[in-house]
Amino acid sequence: MTAALHTSSITSLPLIARGKVRENYAVGEDRILMIASDRISAFDVIMDEPIPGKGALLTQMALFWFDKLDGIVPNHLTGDDPLSVVTAAEQAQVRGRAMLVKRLKPLPIEAVVRGYLAGSGWAEYKTNGQVCGVQLPAGLQNASKLPEPIFTPATKAEMGDHDENIDFDRCVEIIGRDLAERVRDIAIQLYRRAADFALTKGIIIADTKFEFGLDADGTLTLMDEVLTPDSSRYWPAESYAVGSNPPSYDKQFLRDWLEQATVDGKPWGKVAPAPALPAEVISNTAAKYQEALERLTR
Ligand SMILES: Nc1ncnc2c1ncn2[C@@H]1O[C@H](COP(=O)(O)OP(=O)(O)O)[C@@H](O)[C@H]1O
Ligand SMILES: [Mg+2]
């Protein structure tokens, strides 16, 4: 394995943006080199320590899913080799962890689909029996499977902020009815196909977030990473039980550790900077990402 990469620095291309995990570089006017670093975030705070192998695993997993989801909606992959757009000296930062994609105009919403009740969905359901304006049957528990997958959009938060759940009407106000309906229907189709496949490999995809953009012709296009454990809740099917949140596949070690971590004798307040991660948390987390990919692709 190559050395862990916390932050890429490609100087031969203009940097467009640094996200929580990826750096985007412009390749000409119409393409982006997206480099998945080994950074990990939890509670929306980026850790100082990278997780070795994570960026490459996420990229491989996204490519795997783009292939599986082929035919539902166009995606942003160009098929061009990411190594071909950087200098020889920069290739080590790119190899295995990058995608060379069409540069799209991102829709300012996150297309979340939930097949199970968890996280902010469960929290909202307990208060009003709904998630993002979708009325659900009474009597559901934490981690209950929903009768049908539901579309529960969110706004895209600025760096460091939390995304905000919105209802479908608000989504229509933001992107227009026609697009909102297409995004909803396509996102649900994508989720169904992925969740059905994952289940055959012993993984429950409880929920996931897709991002879409428009290309120069206005064609609705699937972008970003898809169906990675960073953008989805992966649960091992064998430890699934209604009533409690199953340990998620990826960040559970990290979250559990952070929940009990102290800084200057006080519990860490979930704002940057994060406490330094012990080696065990790093290696356990790396192993979980590896296991998720192996399960899906074996
Ligand atoms: N094809 C594309 N065209 C334009 N922007 C894209 C494309 N694919 C992904 N993006 C954007 O690239 C960024 C990926 O970096 P990431 O680290 O995941 O950011 P974030 O912290 O916002 O999740 C996201 O802002 C995403 O919306
Ligand atoms: Mg992202």
Side-chain angles (χ1 to χ4, degrees):
M1 191 166 24
T2 48
L5 181 74
H6 186 277
T7 307
S8 70
S9 54
I10 302 294
T11 53
S12 66
L13 297 172
L15 178 69
I16 304 173
R18 276 184 212 291
K20 288 191 288 290
V21 172
R22 269 151 269 266
E23 270 92 41
N24 285 356
Y25 296 90
V27 179
E29 294 291 295
D30 56 353
R31 291 182 299 170
I32 295 176
L33 180 67
M34 287 184 62
I35 302 185
S37 73
D38 295 325
R39 292 194 291 280
I40 191 164
S41 67
F43 309 114
D44 284 333
V45 175
I46 298 167
M47 306 293 121
D48 284 338
E49 298 77 12
I51 305 297
K54 174 175 180 275
L57 280 165
L58 288 187
T59 298
Q60 285 173 55
M61 210 180 281
L63 292 173
F64 169 83
W65 281 119
F66 275 122
D67 185 47
K68 280 270 177 262
L69 296 174
D70 195 38
I72 297 177
V73 64
N75 68 48
H76 67 167
L77 298 179
T78 59
D80 303 337
D81 182 1
L83 292 177
S84 68
V85 297
V86 295
T87 66
E90 290 166 340
Q91 289 188 349
Q93 297 181 65
V94 171
R95 190 169 285 113
R97 64 165 77 246
M99 296 192 284
L100 187 49
V101 303
K102 275 194 210 173
R103 185 166 185 170
L104 302 170
K105 187 166 166 274
L107 298 184
I109 56 125
E110 315 233 4
V112 178
V113 181
R114 299 168 193 267
Y116 294 74
L117 207 47
S120 66
W122 167 238
E124 189 190 340
Y125 176 82
K126 281 191 289 186
T127 69
N128 61 10
Q130 306 182 349
V131 182
C132 295
V134 181
Q135 188 66 47
L136 294 172
L140 297 178
Q141 299 176 54
N142 193 7
S144 281
K145 186 171 201 273
L146 300 174
E148 296 290 331
I150 58 172
F151 178 63
T152 61
T155 56
K156 269 187 202 167
E158 295 300 317
M159 187 89 171
D161 257 5
H162 300 279
D163 297 338
E164 187 196 336
N165 288 349
I166 55 175
D167 62 16
F168 187 70
D169 289 343
R170 179 77 191 114
C171 181
V172 168
E173 281 170 19
I174 298 171
I175 62 173
R177 179 160 303 275
D178 173 61
L179 263 180
E181 287 178 351
R182 279 157 63 208
V183 164
R184 176 191 62 196
D185 296 350
I186 290 167
I188 288 176
Q189 263 191 75
L190 294 169
Y191 170 80
R192 280 187 196 279
R193 191 189 287 180
D196 287 352
F197 175 82
L199 205 52
T200 69
K201 304 291 184 178
I203 291 176
I204 292 172
I205 302 179
D207 52 42
T208 194
K209 175 215 59 171
F210 298 107
E211 294 189 29
F212 292 88
L214 301 176
D215 74 6
D217 303 326
T219 303
L220 183 62
T221 306
L222 180 62
M223 62 175 215
D224 203 51
E225 59 180 339
V226 281
L227 291 154
T228 66
D230 277 10
S231 67
S232 320
R233 245 188 210 93
Y234 275 39
W235 292 336
E238 70 277 6
S239 48
Y240 174 70
V242 174
S244 67
N245 211 338
S248 87
Y249 228 88
D250 52 337
K251 295 185 183 172
Q252 204 64 41
F253 277 111
L254 176 60
R255 291 203 192 98
D256 290 351
W257 183 80
L258 287 169
E259 290 282 6
Q260 57 77 61
T262 54
V263 177
D264 299 332
K266 289 189 257 16
W268 178 55
K270 297 181 184 164
V271 287
L277 305 183
E280 197 199 358
V281 172
I282 296 173
S283 60
N284 283 340
T285 302
K288 277 288 167 193
Y289 277 95
Q290 182 74 45
E291 193 185 324
L293 180 67
E294 274 166 16
R295 271 211 187 193
L296 276 177
T297 56
R298 78 180 165 214

